[in-house]
Amino acid sequence: MANELTVVKKFEVAPIDSEIMAAFKEEMEGLGTMPIDTIKIPSGGGIAFEVPGEDPDSPDMAKELIGVITGHKPQNAYWQDAYSGDNASPDCYSDDGKVGINTNTGESRLCETCPFNQFGSALNAQGQPTKGKACKNLHRLYLLMEGALMPVIINIPPTSIKPFKDYLAKRLLLRGKRPAQVLTKITLKKAVSNDGITYSQCVFTKAGDLAPDIIKTLAPVVAMTKDLMAMKQTAPAGEVSESNGAGSTGFENDGREAFDGKVVNGMAIPEFEEVAD
């Protein structure tokens, strides 16, 4: 499947019909958005993904993920205080990489002009300015694996955004392909920063072009993913107050840990890596 000319003629897709979607909307009303499993990228240079299994406390490990990217979007997260070991939600969060919402006041601001989203705004552990951004630019992928009813979420950190951008632009779009028209393989490699810090970086490879009938079969899943990406998440009790109008970010439950920066949803986000291309 590594060959550029490979045509994937078989990719089992679990059927999604209007009745299933109607049931989800009816039963999930008032409970927030549709729950979707998240595959975690390890910190510290690990080369295996954490894949949710039957036991939430014991995830499976996978060295590669193969599936169809049915959607993707940018996201931003900003913490005002330095990491102190707590499980803090971001002080500002953007679900689309365009408009950030202050999770304490509900105030919104444009990400493009926000001073915390500019290179040179980050501070290191000693409070000294660095080349990076105080706001962490992330990217969320929705990956449908064979036989699955729903795509899984992969939140790729700043260290992996350029490899994804290159894959999307050079390997797909400039060759007349969209992400939902090909089978994509995602692996991890160990990388080291100029400061000697080891981290995990995603590697994206086209595993083959999907046959036209498979692309047609996937159309409802792609449409559903667009709906999911457009939904504003509802904050769970105890995470963000109901009165401030801010939504749940999806970062609260996995916490942050020290890695010369932050870790979000198990993703290493070192300060040094966020520099301009």
Side-chain angles (χ1 to χ4, degrees):
M1 283 189 177
N3 193 309
E4 289 282 341
L5 300 179
T6 298
V7 176
V8 180
K9 297 182 178 180
K10 183 179 179 182
F11 185 82
E12 297 295 335
V13 179
I16 296 181
D17 56 30
S18 57
E19 291 185 7
I20 294 177
M21 292 307 299
F24 264 112
K25 291 180 180 180
E26 179 180 345
E27 299 294 341
M28 293 298 295
E29 185 175 0
L31 295 176
T33 57
M34 192 180 301
I36 303 178
D37 284 334
T38 298
I39 293 179
K40 297 181 182 179
I41 296 174
S43 60
I47 58 172
F49 297 94
E50 290 187 18
V51 182
E54 296 298 326
D55 182 358
D57 295 324
S58 181
D60 299 326
M61 306 302 291
K63 288 193 173 183
E64 67 176 27
L65 305 172
I66 298 179
V68 179
I69 298 175
T70 57
H72 62 93
K73 66 175 181 178
Q75 295 182 309
N76 295 331
Y78 165 73
W79 287 266
Q80 179 177 342
D81 298 328
Y83 177 74
S84 60
D86 59 355
N87 194 23
S89 302
D91 293 288
C92 185
Y93 169 73
S94 172
D95 193 48
D96 59 6
K98 297 178 181 179
V99 178
I101 304 295
N102 186 307
T103 54
N104 297 307
T105 65
E107 177 188 4
S108 64
R109 80 169 30 167
L110 293 177
C111 295
E112 184 178 4
T113 56
C114 176
F116 299 119
N117 195 35
Q118 310 304 317
F119 289 106
S121 61
L123 301 176
N124 61 21
Q126 292 72 41
Q128 300 168 331
T130 71
K131 295 180 180 180
K133 296 180 180 182
C135 182
K136 303 308 169 187
N137 299 155
L138 315 170
H139 207 85
R140 171 167 290 189
L141 305 185
Y142 292 80
L143 185 74
L144 181 72
M145 292 188 281
E146 188 168 17
L149 178 66
M150 297 283 294
V152 293
I153 287 174
I154 307 172
N155 292 311
I156 62 174
T159 53
S160 294
I161 289 180
K162 188 177 187 302
F164 175 68
K165 180 174 67 175
D166 288 346
Y167 170 69
L168 182 65
K170 298 176 182 179
R171 302 289 175 258
L172 301 184
L173 299 178
L174 290 179
R175 300 186 183 188
K177 295 294 181 180
R178 302 290 289 268
Q181 296 176 327
V182 304
L183 199 61
T184 296
K185 180 172 74 172
I186 309 173
T187 56
L188 293 169
K189 72 174 184 179
K190 185 179 296 185
V192 181
S193 74
N194 293 332
D195 295 334
I197 298 177
T198 302
Y199 60 95
S200 306
Q201 187 178 64
C202 290
V203 177
F204 300 89
T205 307
K206 190 176 81 167
D209 296 326
L210 297 177
D213 60 322
I214 297 178
I215 295 175
K216 183 177 180 179
T217 302
L218 286 172
V221 185
V222 175
M224 179 192 66
T225 303
K226 290 182 179 180
D227 290 339
L228 290 173
M229 292 193 297
M231 290 180 181
K232 295 299 181 182
Q233 299 187 13
T234 303
E239 300 291 355
V240 181
S241 66
E242 297 179 0
S243 62
N244 62 25
S248 168
T249 67
F251 295 125
E252 305 91 337
N253 300 326
D254 295 290
R256 299 186 286 161
E257 58 192 51
F259 186 74
D260 285 348
K262 302 179 178 69
V263 168
V264 180
N265 278 353
M267 303 179 299
I269 305 179
E271 302 287 353
F272 64 84
E273 277 300 323
E274 288 193 66
V275 295
D277 293 341

